[in-house]
Amino acid sequence: MTSNTKNRNNRTLFLFCIIALLLAIAAPFAAAAQGPPIGPPPINAPTTGPSTDPGGTPDPTPTRTPPPTATRPGSNPGPNPPTPTRTPSSPTTSTEEAKRKLEQALAEYELIKALAPNRIIFHAATPIQLCKVEDGLQIYYVGRDGKTRLGPWVPGFAELAAKHPDGTEAPIYFGFNPLTGKKVKIDYLPQVNRIRVDTFYADREHDKNKQYIFHFGPDHDIVYDAW
């Protein structure tokens, strides 16, 4: 009995020794398996803001672009428009134009000068001029600026009297003065053996459709009906 109790005590002591030995061996491994102590980060550790990147990279700080400065209307008209350039007229063109006008003026002057000895109407305001020619009368249109243009020819009185022996009024010519735009009507009056010219002055600012009517005989004596 005593011997059995002693053996049981010895086995129990042996087990405790084995357990103590195992605990002593396992202690270093258990210490190594534990993580670093939980606590606040080091004082000089950098901190970052929240991140929306799935990779964990923090977003860069956004840069704010200032709005454009507002300007009042008219304070900044913008760039100046390009200055239009005028193409100077060619000296040759200007010379030719001046020469043409001079030649035209000289031609008109010579025409009027040539008509002067044979003209029938002597006042300067006439819109039409008649000149004596060998076998009749030559009509010249006259503009408000004094320019002239050749018009129709009118037979002489002897020829008209032979063609129109009765007393009926006979038309000789109807047309328009190209320098005034007004009609010109010329008739022979057999009863009095005279020629009548019916036309108008050139229009002016306060003078529109002013008639110019006269008649004359073989001796070219002028009688004005309207002028």
Side-chain angles (χ1 to χ4, degrees):
M1 185 68 180
T2 305
S3 176
N4 291 335
T5 301
K6 185 177 180 180
N7 290 334
R8 194 166 44 249
N9 293 334
N10 290 333
R11 285 197 297 271
T12 300
L13 181 60
F14 179 74
L15 288 174
F16 278 119
C17 290
I18 292 300
I19 291 172
L21 180 60
L22 291 175
L23 291 174
I25 295 173
F29 294 97
Q34 293 180 356
I38 299 174
I43 295 175
N44 59 352
T47 58
T48 59
S51 173
T52 57
D53 187 0
T57 304
D59 292 338
T61 303
T63 59
R64 185 176 179 182
T65 303
T69 304
T71 58
R72 293 183 302 172
S75 62
N76 185 14
N80 294 328
T83 303
T85 57
R86 295 181 57 187
T87 303
S89 59
S90 170
T92 303
T93 304
S94 301
T95 303
E96 291 177 354
E97 181 67 15
K99 182 179 178 181
R100 185 189 65 80
K101 290 182 178 180
L102 178 60
E103 290 177 350
Q104 182 179 357
L106 290 175
E108 292 171 357
Y109 172 76
E110 292 298 329
L111 176 60
I112 295 173
K113 183 179 177 181
L115 296 178
N118 298 320
R119 65 182 178 175
I120 295 175
I121 304 172
F122 289 91
H123 69 84
T126 178
I128 196 168
Q129 180 61 270
L130 287 78
C131 294
K132 295 178 289 185
V133 293
E134 185 175 350
D135 55 351
L137 297 169
Q138 180 63 54
I139 304 296
Y140 290 90
Y141 296 124
V142 183
R144 190 172 66 180
D145 56 358
K147 292 182 179 181
T148 60
R149 185 171 296 183
L150 187 66
W153 172 83
V154 177
F157 282 92
E159 184 177 344
L160 290 172
K163 288 183 178 180
H164 308 284
D166 58 7
T168 306
E169 185 176 306
I172 299 175
Y173 172 80
F174 179 80
F176 289 87
N177 182 341
L179 301 178
T180 63
K182 303 299 182 179
K183 76 173 184 67
V184 177
K185 187 174 182 292
I186 302 175
D187 300 307
Y188 175 61
L189 311 176
Q191 292 183 351
V192 292
N193 193 27
R194 298 180 73 84
I195 294 174
R196 182 179 62 205
V197 178
D198 184 349
T199 187
F200 294 84
Y201 286 97
D203 287 340
R204 296 178 183 272
E205 184 178 359
H206 303 293
D207 197 0
K208 309 286 186 182
N209 295 323
K210 183 179 179 181
Q211 286 187 315
Y212 183 83
I213 305 173
F214 64 93
H215 57 83
F216 60 98
D219 294 331
H220 302 151
D221 54 314
I222 305 295
V223 175
Y224 291 96
D225 298 330
W227 72 311

